Amino acid sequence: ATILLWVALFTCASGSMRAAPSLSTLHTRILARSPAIDMTDVQQRPASSVSPTSSAAAVPLSPERQGALADGYEICRKITASYAKTFYLGTRFMDPDRARSIWAVYAWCRRTDDIVDAPRGGVKYLMREIAQWGKRLEGIWEGSAYDIVDLPLVDTVKRYPDMDIQPYKDMIEGMLMDLSQDRYATFEDLYVYCYRVAGTVGLMTLPVMGTAPGVTYEEAVEPALALGIALQLTNILRDVGEDARRGRIYLPQEDLARFGVTEEQVLAGRLDENYVRMMQFQIARARDYFDKSEDGISKLSESARMPVRASLDLYRKILERIESNGYDNFRKRAYVSKIEKFLTLPSSYFKCMEAAKAAEAERKRL
């Protein structure tokens, strides 16, 4: 079993070493052939007949739409593999149907982010584009897809009727925050941003991932939110220098003042003792959220634990790299090498196994 695990990991890792193509490259062939696809004729199963913690039966589709749906899922897989390599490796351990739905959710998130990160016009045009994207989202929940890449999410919403549109709307609000806000006065303000752009992902994916036997959604949701916050805080700490060059400072203003760090210092990339102490505080906060999220992994369904565990373990290493770089996140990029990822995944797998055993023993004891 150990040998097979390493072979699987090697296959995943070697497949992820290609440079990520642009979204436009992935979509060119698709969008050219994809007018609005009406899914209202699809037969829908009653919501009560589909369990959110198990893979639902396939929604009946015509042969033409089956082909379009398969194409759409493949594009979602490529988007996930290209832009979320670490997470994608973990999904290779999931039940195939769940993994496909996770790819559909991720592809929507990636495309949402791309609207802001790669705008095609001024702010007014961008605001209109985001508004149109919100209307497309509502269409997905009503059963219609604007293009073939939306189609898998339409299918996923039908398969998992406990999915809620609100986290998706909240993520769009997070994208809007990036258009109007480049400073955060308090951590409470930053938390709202982190929830909208990252914590929402936990709420989006939890109905698909499912929970362990005897665990309710409410019990699993808090750790899922904590992981999203931890991941986004880590992104912010990793990208301080990059954001500063764009005139953005995500570090809370109250924390800068507390440690005697000025905005001018951050924008100029000046590293001193005050900045180091402030970064140590920020890293400790991020680790606290990782700790809160760790207890929730055993609450997930068995096949969903590995991608979450891998994301947690590998993102924690980014914090370690910031430390080993002397807290210089102005000039030194904190990243985890491919070989480190490869060597970490077996440990993540066995941590999942041990946590599951401990959780089962605790349930029997109670």
Side-chain angles (χ1 to χ4, degrees):
T2 303
I3 294 175
L4 290 175
L5 171 63
W6 275 88
V7 170
L9 289 172
F10 179 77
T11 302
C12 294
S14 60
S16 69
M17 291 183 183
R18 296 185 299 273
S22 67
L23 279 177
S24 59
T25 300
L26 291 174
H27 294 165
T28 297
R29 177 182 66 85
I30 298 301
L31 300 184
R33 52 172 282 199
S34 56
I37 300 172
D38 186 6
M39 290 287 291
T40 56
D41 62 333
V42 174
Q43 300 176 25
Q44 296 188 36
R45 293 164 57 91
S48 60
S49 68
V50 183
S51 168
T53 58
S54 62
S55 297
V59 177
L61 293 171
S62 67
E64 179 182 356
R65 282 181 169 78
Q66 285 179 350
L69 182 60
D71 285 348
Y73 271 120
E74 176 60 14
I75 292 298
C76 292
R77 184 194 69 78
K78 289 180 179 178
I79 291 173
T80 308
S82 297
Y83 291 92
K85 294 179 175 64
T86 298
F87 186 74
Y88 176 72
L89 297 187
T91 64
R92 295 290 294 268
F93 292 89
M94 294 181 69
D95 170 87
D97 286 340
R98 292 185 196 273
R100 280 160 36 104
S101 290
I102 294 296
W103 300 336
V105 172
Y106 177 81
W108 184 89
C109 295
R110 177 66 251 181
R111 297 172 83 194
T112 302
D113 188 61
D114 196 56
I115 292 174
V116 176
D117 283 353
R120 291 175 286 182
V123 174
K124 289 185 178 179
Y125 177 88
L126 189 54
M127 294 293 288
R128 288 198 301 270
E129 190 172 13
I130 291 175
Q132 291 170 356
W133 188 250
K135 291 179 180 178
R136 283 177 59 170
L137 173 66
E138 292 176 358
I140 288 172
W141 250 257
E142 292 167 0
S144 62
Y146 180 83
D147 63 36
I148 203 171
V149 190
D150 286 343
L151 193 54
L153 188 55
V154 173
D155 184 56
T156 294
V157 170
K158 293 181 183 298
R159 287 173 175 268
Y160 300 93
D162 278 5
M163 289 182 68
D164 188 352
I165 194 173
Q166 191 58 49
Y168 295 79
K169 290 183 175 181
D170 290 343
M171 176 171 280
I172 292 174
E173 288 297 316
M175 299 301 120
L176 289 171
M177 289 177 72
D178 265 334
L179 297 180
S180 60
Q181 190 170 355
D182 57 16
R183 300 290 190 277
Y184 293 87
T186 68
F187 177 70
E188 286 72 22
D189 295 334
L190 182 62
Y191 182 93
V192 172
Y193 174 75
C194 291
Y195 158 72
R196 287 177 174 172
V197 301
T200 49
V201 178
L203 302 186
M204 294 173 187
T205 56
L206 189 54
V208 177
M209 290 186 168
T211 57
V215 176
T216 66
Y217 175 88
E218 289 71 21
E219 292 172 323
V221 72
E222 287 301 324
L225 281 171
L227 180 58
I229 301 299
L231 297 177
Q232 187 60 26
L233 289 176
T234 302
N235 284 337
I236 288 170
L237 300 183
R238 180 194 62 196
D239 297 338
V240 168
E242 179 181 331
D243 289 330
R245 286 188 287 275
R246 297 188 299 164
R248 293 183 174 275
I249 300 177
Y250 288 95
L251 300 169
Q253 300 293 294
E254 64 179 4
D255 294 343
L256 297 181
R258 175 181 175 182
F259 289 94
V261 177
T262 66
E263 279 195 26
E264 292 73 22
Q265 177 181 348
V266 174
L267 294 175
R270 292 199 304 271
L271 185 69
D272 64 10
E273 185 176 331
N274 288 348
Y275 184 81
V276 168
R277 289 191 298 111
M278 190 269 297
M279 283 305 302
Q280 290 171 336
F281 173 78
Q282 302 295 334
I283 289 173
R285 173 187 280 156
R287 282 184 172 140
D288 182 56
Y289 277 96
F290 277 122
D291 291 343
K292 291 176 181 176
S293 68
E294 191 165 17
D295 292 338
I297 295 176
S298 62
K299 296 177 181 178
L300 298 173
S301 64
E302 184 175 354
S303 72
R305 294 167 189 160
M306 182 58 187
V308 176
R309 179 82 244 184
S311 296
L312 189 155
D313 288 343
L314 291 169
Y315 258 75
R316 270 181 170 166
K317 286 185 175 294
I318 293 176
L319 298 177
E320 294 174 8
R321 191 66 71 247
I322 294 172
E323 292 172 328
S324 65
N325 284 345
Y327 303 95
D328 185 0
N329 45 11
F330 296 121
R331 286 163 288 274
K332 297 180 181 179
R333 176 77 169 177
Y335 70 96
V336 181
S337 68
K338 291 182 176 67
I339 188 62
E340 286 177 292
K341 291 180 181 180
F342 181 80
L343 295 174
T344 299
L345 288 173
S347 172
S348 298
Y349 177 81
F350 289 115
K351 285 178 183 177
C352 287
M353 300 289 288
E354 291 302 315
K357 290 178 182 178
E360 180 62 25
E362 180 64 15
R363 279 194 292 270
K364 289 181 178 179
R365 186 185 67 81
L366 297 175

